[in-house]
Amino acid sequence: VMAKLLLTMEDVTLSYGLRTLIDIGRLEVFDGDRIGLVGENGAGKTTLLRLMGGEISPDEGRIHRLCDVGMIHQMDSEGELNVFDPKREAEFRAQQAREGLSGGERTRRRIAGALSGRCPLLLADEPTSDLDSEGIKNLTRHLKAHQGALVLISHDRQLLDEVTTVIWELEDGRVSVYPGNYAQYRQEKNNRRRFQQFE
């Protein structure tokens, strides 16, 4: 049985000034996919995730979302939610002020909120920031148990190794797909580099 297609991106480009941040011919996400999105800082990983979630629009191309999409945003250093929706931001800040939660508690609450939505496609941007080791363990368990597809940005290599089954590497606006988890991706990347040197 073919897995259900949840999202497609076709000929999607997005530029900031003269720099092309995203330049994707075609990408697909199927039900059950566990994708780790990796790349250098500033490569545009968060931008790609927000394009997929429909929070920003591409300059060109089409993004078809064939299911509900849940999003766990990255917190900035103040523990605020990284969203560009002023109304949501204001509500969020007011709620934070009322509850006086710590960064870790806020992070756990956001993640619980995203997971409880039971969206077939979950996009998670650095969900471990502010979590202690117990929180990371819990998150890992929840992400593994998530029914549906997942696209995860994380600096936590162990989390990527435990949760993902394919790696998307974003480099110069383009995505290369590597089957396997993060450790397998690193191995394959080293093999390719050695082969290029040999050539």
Side-chain angles (χ1 to χ4, degrees):
V1 182
M2 272 288 286
K4 193 170 157 215
L5 187 61
L6 301 183
L7 181 140
T8 61
M9 302 179 83
E10 293 172 58
D11 304 321
V12 170
T13 61
L14 182 71
S15 301
Y16 283 115
L18 297 173
R19 182 168 172 231
T20 301
L21 205 54
I22 304 291
D23 182 4
I24 286 168
R26 184 171 177 87
L27 270 181
E28 298 173 325
V29 180
F30 289 91
D31 190 26
D33 280 355
R34 293 280 190 273
I35 297 161
L37 177 56
V38 304
E40 298 291 318
N41 282 340
K45 299 185 294 292
T46 295
T47 302
L48 177 55
L49 221 57
R50 295 183 64 232
L51 279 167
M52 293 171 77
E55 294 188 349
I56 49 177
S57 300
D59 297 333
E60 290 173 13
R62 292 173 302 285
I63 301 172
H64 300 289
R65 279 171 287 278
L66 308 170
C67 68
D68 288 338
V69 180
M71 190 123 179
I72 301 173
H73 289 88
Q74 187 178 4
M75 296 297 234
D76 68 18
S77 54
E78 272 68 62
E80 298 298 350
L81 195 57
N82 267 339
V83 287
F84 295 105
D85 177 344
K87 183 167 170 288
R88 255 175 69 191
E89 186 113 25
E91 285 169 9
F92 183 77
R93 281 170 199 250
Q95 187 190 349
Q96 302 283 324
R98 279 197 306 275
E99 295 169 356
L101 298 175
S102 74
E105 287 168 324
R106 289 202 292 254
T107 299
R108 277 197 291 277
R109 190 163 287 198
R110 280 183 308 113
I111 290 167
L115 289 167
S116 68
R118 302 241 184 283
C119 293
L121 174 56
L122 184 64
L123 309 175
D125 189 357
E126 294 291 353
T128 55
S129 56
D130 287 330
L131 290 180
D132 57 14
S133 60
E134 194 52 42
I136 292 173
K137 247 186 237 163
N138 265 332
L139 172 69
T140 305
R141 210 176 56 237
H142 282 306
L143 292 180
K144 280 173 147 174
H146 173 65
Q147 299 287 315
L150 171 70
V151 182
L152 170 68
I153 299 174
S154 181
H155 281 99
D156 188 324
R157 292 175 174 195
Q158 194 180 343
L159 179 66
L160 286 170
D161 274 342
E162 287 198 38
V163 173
T164 63
T165 55
V166 65
I167 297 291
W168 286 1
E169 181 189 50
L170 181 60
E171 196 174 29
D172 300 326
R174 297 173 186 275
V175 169
S176 307
V177 178
Y178 293 80
N181 63 13
Y182 188 79
Q184 290 162 312
Y185 149 76
R186 292 299 315 167
Q187 182 64 46
E188 175 62 20
K189 187 99 174 129
N190 289 335
N191 291 347
R192 288 185 194 187
R193 194 171 292 133
R194 278 204 296 272
F195 183 73
Q196 277 165 350
Q197 284 165 350
F198 173 74
E199 289 280 274

